[in-house]
Amino acid sequence: MSAATSTPSATSTLPIPSEVRVAIVGSGFSGMGVAIGLLDDGERDFVILESASDLGGTWRDNTYPGCGCDVPSHMYSFSFAPNPDWTRSFASQPEIWKYQLDVAERFGLRDHLRTDAEVLGATWDAATQRWTVETARGTVRAQFLVSGTGPLCEPRYPEIPGMETFQGTAFHSARWDHDYDLKGKRVAVIGTGASAIQFVPAIQPDVAKLTLFQRTPAWVLPRPDRPISGVERFVFRHVPFATRAARLSIYVRNELFLLPFRYVRALRRLPHRIGLQHLERQVKDPVLREKLTPTYDVGCKRTLLSNTYLKSLDQPNADVVTSGIREIRAHSVVDQDGVEHEVDAIVYGTGFHVTDQPIADRVRGRDGLLLADKWAPGMEAHKGTTVPGFPNLFMMVGPNTGLGHNSIIYMIESQVHYLIQALRTAHHQRIGALEPRQEVVDAENEAIQKRLQGTVWNDGGCASWYLDERGRNTTLWPDFTFLYRRELRTFDPAEHVVTPQVGRPAASPAAPEAIPA
Ligand code: NAP
């Protein structure tokens, strides 16, 4: 598969500055959005710390065959940087990564980017009101710390007896081994999530044998993907507001999914019927069809879109195993029925550490409190962004900001707006440290959990990574996304414990100049 290539400028390898106002961890869509927001607000005193050797986050890391986005391209891009040149209605990974690289050049992000600078730890120092951020390339102190590492950062591997004894080639979908040629090989795939349904049909025609180990069948709906014609691209490039209009229509269409998913249970029958029809059209073998028929409501797990996945499983070289995996041996995977499937390679399409993100093990707030310990009973934040006990820390795509129905970039832009408001408030009111009040966060999260009751994500009859190990949904925003944006329109110091800048009295609380949402 062709991947976008980039030419990182020399600035990425510049030394880590000793002190900045804002340190951003990660350079995916979140980190980029924050950086552009800061520049737009006239703030240049920041650094983007990236562990890899180039920017891009999950769209840099996921290069598996068939990788693409299941949110239409004109909505899966920054609102302030529309791309009239998308070549398909659903963009592929190389095109999305190229978009990120282009945006980075256009907004001058590389001057602030430091690559190969994995954040090893960050500790709040109350005396100086600074975060001490240790990276693989040195230490930087920052007044504000923004985590843009996101939930799709760290691949999750299953725990299967004997995994380590496997003698063939094994890799995770997010760390695809392009040096290993799957052609003519016997390949086991574990997982049937958003990633697997994209790479399975891409590799199935080439492999000798594909054995898919399915724990739970996925609802797969038709993917209305098509090339965007030259004429359309001409219109997007030259007709004012054409990309905005396209974006708006996608946005509204996606928001309508809230009706079956949250508001009108009876409407869930509609996507259910579409899913069953799609399955019937794509899979002729009735036994296989039975195996692939989900028993939960559409939307309970992330709804998947594909015109090729189901069909690719109804091929002579494909086999779907549903009994579960008992163990992995040197050259085989043994299922729960005791059948040994000999394979040359295993591809883990088993997802990411979503509710136990690694960054939480590296951030220490007030009194040495570890974010992972704070979140041990479940992830919670104020407006999905700030956390009691962690002054001046902002989590992009934090708890209950994920979406099962629309573009995460809309949520990211909402958070960026909020962050800028907070920074302005801190500046105008000479606030040295701010953190949300625990009672505010408690009340807010109780309300979120109430709103999630009865939604398809909580009550749709499935187990999903939307829910943490205690069964609490700490990942999804429960409502229309414009309601989230409305909640983040203004930063309210009264909801926070604020500490004046060290050595300076707090200014009278004048409202910072509002910026349009
Ligand atoms: P995922 O949705 O978490 O799916 C993981 C799969 O692995 C599930 O089918 C799961 O089964 C299975 N699994 C996990 N442990 C297993 C075990 N021990 N034995 C057997 N099966 C096991 O991961 P993903 O497919 O990588 O997708 C993650 C997220 O990435 C998506 O939900 C989406 O947010 C994002 N993504 C987005 C796009 C896009 O188009 N925008 C594309 C790819 C990924 P169960 O279902 O039984 O748990």
Side-chain angles (χ1 to χ4, degrees):
M1 173 193 196
S2 69
T5 52
S6 72
T7 48
S9 75
T11 52
S12 303
T13 52
L14 280 175
I16 304 294
S18 58
E19 178 113 21
V20 289
R21 184 156 187 246
V22 186
I24 303 167
V25 189
S27 65
F29 272 109
S30 288
M32 292 175 66
V34 172
I36 295 168
L38 290 173
L39 288 172
D40 192 44
D41 203 44
E43 179 61 79
R44 302 193 61 78
D45 187 14
F46 69 90
V47 68
I48 309 169
L49 303 167
E50 170 56 58
S51 60
S53 55
D54 204 351
L55 58 76
T58 200
W59 291 107
R60 174 203 58 226
D61 292 340
N62 282 269
T63 60
Y64 59 77
C67 183
C69 191
D70 54 17
V71 176
S73 324
H74 283 289
M75 189 63 216
Y76 202 82
S77 37
F78 288 120
S79 62
F80 50 81
N83 177 12
D85 298 324
W86 291 120
T87 60
R88 298 196 70 85
S89 48
F90 289 81
S92 63
Q93 174 269 340
E95 202 169 3
I96 297 171
W97 192 33
K98 180 177 181 306
Y99 168 79
Q100 291 182 303
L101 298 173
D102 290 348
V103 168
E105 288 307 328
R106 190 172 137 199
F107 288 87
L109 301 192
R110 289 209 179 269
D111 294 345
H112 299 269
L113 180 69
R114 299 295 180 273
T115 53
D116 302 304
E118 180 177 355
V119 169
L120 307 172
T123 309
W124 174 251
D125 177 17
T128 57
Q129 296 177 327
R130 292 288 180 276
W131 284 95
T132 303
V133 185
E134 284 176 36
T135 82
R137 291 216 280 122
T139 302
V140 54
R141 284 158 53 78
Q143 189 187 1
F144 295 95
L145 180 64
V146 183
S147 168
T149 54
L152 306 180
C153 166
E154 185 72 17
R156 179 188 283 282
Y157 291 84
E159 286 170 19
I160 300 172
M163 261 174 80
E164 67 293 345
T165 64
F166 186 63
Q167 301 276 302
T169 298
F171 50 87
H172 191 279
S173 60
R175 302 285 182 271
W176 197 269
D177 183 350
H178 290 280
D179 293 334
Y180 182 76
D181 189 0
L182 290 170
K183 212 176 184 126
K185 303 287 191 330
R186 297 162 303 172
V187 181
V189 172
I190 301 177
T192 55
S195 302
I197 69 118
Q198 293 184 338
F199 70 74
V200 161
I203 64 171
Q204 173 271 321
D206 289 337
V207 302
K209 170 93 190 172
L210 187 139
T211 309
L212 176 68
F213 290 87
Q214 168 188 281
R215 193 163 63 180
T216 317
W219 275 114
V220 183
L221 303 188
R223 182 177 169 94
D225 189 19
R226 64 174 183 84
I228 297 177
S229 70
V231 174
E232 287 172 288
R233 277 183 267 159
F234 179 87
V235 170
F236 285 133
R237 180 161 283 285
H238 297 288
V239 176
F241 304 116
T243 50
R244 273 177 194 236
R247 188 181 176 87
L248 182 65
S249 77
I250 298 164
Y251 175 76
V252 172
R253 217 169 48 220
N254 283 354
E255 288 296 284
L256 289 178
F257 276 103
L258 252 294
L259 297 179
F261 289 176
R262 173 174 160 74
Y263 286 103
V264 190
R265 187 176 269 265
L267 284 180
R268 290 187 199 171
R269 282 201 293 268
L270 184 63
H272 186 98
R273 202 174 308 139
I274 295 171
L276 284 183
Q277 279 170 355
H278 192 49
L279 180 60
E280 238 162 70
R281 269 197 300 268
Q282 298 239 317
V283 177
K284 301 298 167 215
D285 175 356
V287 178
L288 177 62
R289 209 187 294 152
E290 182 69 28
K291 283 185 186 176
L292 295 172
T293 305
T295 53
Y296 54 88
D297 291 346
V298 179
C300 183
K301 286 169 177 283
R302 191 180 170 95
T303 309
L304 309 180
L305 307 179
S306 174
N307 301 333
T308 50
Y309 169 70
L310 296 169
K311 214 186 282 175
S312 74
L313 298 175
D314 199 9
Q315 302 301 324
N317 70 339
D319 190 13
V320 179
V321 177
T322 56
S323 65
I325 301 172
R326 182 185 293 174
E327 64 171 315
I328 292 178
R329 295 182 186 159
H331 300 285
S332 63
V333 180
V334 183
D335 68 27
Q336 288 292 2
D337 292 334
V339 180
E340 187 168 3
H341 305 264
E342 295 216 343
V343 294
D344 304 303
I346 300 175
V347 184
Y348 293 101
T350 44
F352 299 86
H353 286 270
V354 174
T355 53
D356 53 347
Q357 297 172 27
I359 188 76
D361 283 317
R362 300 186 182 188
V363 175
R364 281 190 187 277
R366 228 172 354 95
D367 311 319
L369 180 63
L370 195 64
L371 186 55
D373 290 340
K374 171 78 181 170
W375 278 352
M379 296 193 299
E380 271 188 359
H382 176 50
K383 300 186 194 289
T385 309
T386 53
V387 186
F390 294 80
N392 295 4
L393 171 69
F394 292 80
M395 303 291 299
M396 299 300 293
V397 194
N400 292 107
T401 61
L403 295 180
H405 72 288
N406 214 334
S407 171
I408 196 65
I409 296 178
Y410 182 91
M411 305 298 270
I412 290 172
E413 288 189 29
S414 307
Q415 286 188 292
V416 170
H417 173 84
Y418 182 72
L419 166 73
I420 300 296
Q421 294 278 8
L423 264 56
R424 281 184 173 197
T425 305
H427 175 72
H428 286 281
Q429 299 187 15
R430 293 184 209 146
I431 293 170
L434 52 88
E435 62 178 281
R437 294 183 184 280
Q438 185 65 57
E439 64 273 20
V440 171
V441 179
D442 289 345
E444 199 181 322
N445 279 277
E446 214 183 297
I448 285 184
Q449 292 304 321
K450 267 204 193 108
R451 284 162 92 175
L452 280 161
Q453 281 169 19
T455 64
V456 73
W457 309 300
N458 277 36
D459 300 346
C462 74
S464 79
W465 57 256
Y466 294 155
L467 311 177
D468 67 14
E469 52 191 28
R470 287 172 183 75
R472 248 166 70 100
N473 189 331
T474 56
T475 54
L476 288 191
W477 172 249
D479 219 317
F480 292 111
T481 57
F482 55 83
L483 296 177
Y484 180 70
R485 179 159 291 193
R486 197 177 68 185
E487 287 198 14
L488 273 72
R489 197 178 289 273
T490 52
F491 175 83
D492 182 1
E495 293 179 326
H496 295 76
V497 179
V498 295
T499 315
Q501 283 175 8
V502 179
R504 296 187 71 180
S508 59
E513 194 186 327
I515 51 176

